[in-house]
């Protein structure tokens, strides 16, 4: 999913990024960041193309992390947030600075929670099919209990999808100096 966000933003011309990570040791949050870095690597960019902060998956941390990233000396054209709540907080920080989204800076989130459709502008995000994930988890538990409770845990892949909304549709025009 992080790879898809990175590919989307790269296709819009972005080359200088901010990333608000999730909690330390939160596996899916770390995988989102790793996937994003993979997309940058494929485009010939390294981790130095990203200024990052670590958030706590809530609105306030998104706001505070975005303020720190935006006040750094490095000009970014796109900010990726590890969830939609932090992205909503980041949007407030950007509005306070008078930034136009997406003309001055693109913003994305993860999870496709209800907030992603009601913030301004509506948020580009990754849709996580939570019902499908829950259903598959229950199926795996039932299979494991019925067949062999001593078998090691397994993983299943449930597809996500990129939901492109207004927060990232503009091409990067205000490139870093």
């Amino acid at each position: 999913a992080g790879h898809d966000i990175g590919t989307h933003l790269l296709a819009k011309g972005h080359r200088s990024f901010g990333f608000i990570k999730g909690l330390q040791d939160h596996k899916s949050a770390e995988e989102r960041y790793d996937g994003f870095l993979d997309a940058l690597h494929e485009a010939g960019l390294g981790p130095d193309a990203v200024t990052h902060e670590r958030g706590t998956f809530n609105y306030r941390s998104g706001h505070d992390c975005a303020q720190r990233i935006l006040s750094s000396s490095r000009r970014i054209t796109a900010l990726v947030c590890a969830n939609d709540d932090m992205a909503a907080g980041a949007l407030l920080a950007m509005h306070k600075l008078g930034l136009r989204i997406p003309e001055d800076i693109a913003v994305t989130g993860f999870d496709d929670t209800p907030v992603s459709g009601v913030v301004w502008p509506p948020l580009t995000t990754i849709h996580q099919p939570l019902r499908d994930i829950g259903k598959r988890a229950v199926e795996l538990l039932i299979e494991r209990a019925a067949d062999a409770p001593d078998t090691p845990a397994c993983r299943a892949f449930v597809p996500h999808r990129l939901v492109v909304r207004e927060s990232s549709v503009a091409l990067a025009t205000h490139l870093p100096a």
Side-chain angles (χ1 to χ4, degrees):
H3 186 275
D4 289 354
I5 290 279
T7 301
H8 168 70
L9 293 171
L10 288 162
K12 295 293 182 185
H14 297 282
R15 297 295 181 269
S16 183
F17 304 91
F19 197 110
I20 301 177
K21 296 174 156 187
L23 296 167
Q24 182 80 34
D25 299 323
H26 188 283
K27 187 169 177 54
S28 66
E30 295 302 313
E31 288 175 351
R32 292 169 185 188
Y33 185 65
D34 292 344
F36 178 74
L37 290 179
D38 288 345
L40 298 188
H41 177 74
E42 290 169 8
L45 298 173
D48 57 328
V50 185
T51 300
H52 61 85
E53 287 280 333
R54 187 163 299 280
T56 57
F57 289 125
N58 63 40
Y59 181 89
R60 185 71 186 166
S61 72
H63 176 271
D64 295 347
C65 289
Q67 281 188 318
R68 287 191 295 275
I69 289 171
L70 295 168
S71 68
S72 74
S73 60
R74 186 153 184 264
R75 169 83 167 92
I76 65 166
T77 63
L79 178 65
V80 179
C81 302
N83 79 345
D84 293 342
D85 286 345
M86 291 192 300
L91 286 170
L92 175 62
M94 292 171 190
H95 289 306
K96 286 179 178 178
L97 291 171
L99 294 172
R100 296 171 306 145
I101 305 150
E103 295 85 3
D104 296 331
I105 186 168
V107 183
T108 66
F110 277 88
D111 299 326
D112 197 20
T113 59
V115 73
S116 66
V118 298
V119 292
W120 184 254
L123 188 63
T124 294
T125 188
I126 293 290
H127 177 76
Q128 302 282 18
L130 296 179
R131 285 191 180 168
D132 294 343
I133 292 169
K135 179 181 174 190
R136 186 66 185 129
V138 170
E139 290 169 353
L140 289 171
L141 284 170
I142 291 169
E143 289 170 15
R144 185 171 180 190
D147 294 340
D150 296 341
T151 58
C154 66
R155 292 179 68 165
F157 178 77
V158 179
H160 62 272
R161 89 175 176 281
L162 177 66
V163 179
V164 178
R165 296 190 181 107
E166 288 89 338
S167 71
S168 71
V169 294
L171 294 174
T173 56
H174 297 87
L175 300 176

